[in-house]
Amino acid sequence: MIKPVSIPLDAKFVQDAAYYAYITVFDSFKQGFRPRFGNGGLVKHMLGKIGELAFFRFCLENGIAVKHTPFRNDYSKLNGQDDFVVSIMGIDKVVEVKTQTIKNLLEPDEMLKLFYNKAQFDQKPDRDFIVVFAGVNPQVTQVALLGWIHAEKIAKAFINDKLKSPAYAIPISWLKPMEMFLEVR
């Protein structure tokens, strides 16, 4: 069973997530961009930014060099490079963070499935990236990094087509623990 890595939330952390979510949503809507899947409103974007900030903090606390972050002050133009680029043992790796709400965040059910939107995933021609899954509790008082997986393995997951938008349903048991993140190849 994977042991999630809890990242402490404080007012500044949540404020930063809200700031980037606000810019993302309002710049995007100003330009006429609409969410491709489901509700892309402020709260959903804020949860995503909380997950990204948690990963960023994890990198800083573990001495992982971060060469690029998805944090921008202008989202009025689309940017295909809105993922992390980290350097591990001199090798650059693209890392995408996916965040979802989970009730028992620090002790997730072994049957839990994590979702990656099929259209978004299939749009990426290159599968040479890492996906880190983050979770936020329903009260948004706690965030944890659940684990990571190579993108190429996601393509082997079951596709849940009963959602608003079909998504790969990745079993939590497929994730590698964050303690092994420095072993990414």
Side-chain angles (χ1 to χ4, degrees), residues 51-61 64 66 69 71 84 97 145:
E52 290 173 347
L53 285 165
F55 176 70
F56 185 58
R57 186 174 284 178
F58 172 84
C59 289
L60 295 178
E61 289 174 356
I64 299 169
V66 178
T69 73
F71 310 121
F84 286 93
V97 178
L145 300 176

Side-chain angles (χ1 to χ4, degrees), residues 85-101:
V85 176
V86 299
S87 183
I88 298 174
M89 292 188 255
I91 299 171
D92 290 353
K93 284 291 183 185
V94 174
V95 178
E96 186 172 353
V97 178
K98 292 292 180 193
T99 308
Q100 68 187 60
T101 304

Side-chain angles (χ1 to χ4, degrees), residues 34-38 117 119-120 123 165:
R34 295 290 180 251
R36 293 180 288 180
F37 352 95
N117 182 278
Q120 184 184 25
Q123 180 180 347
S165 295

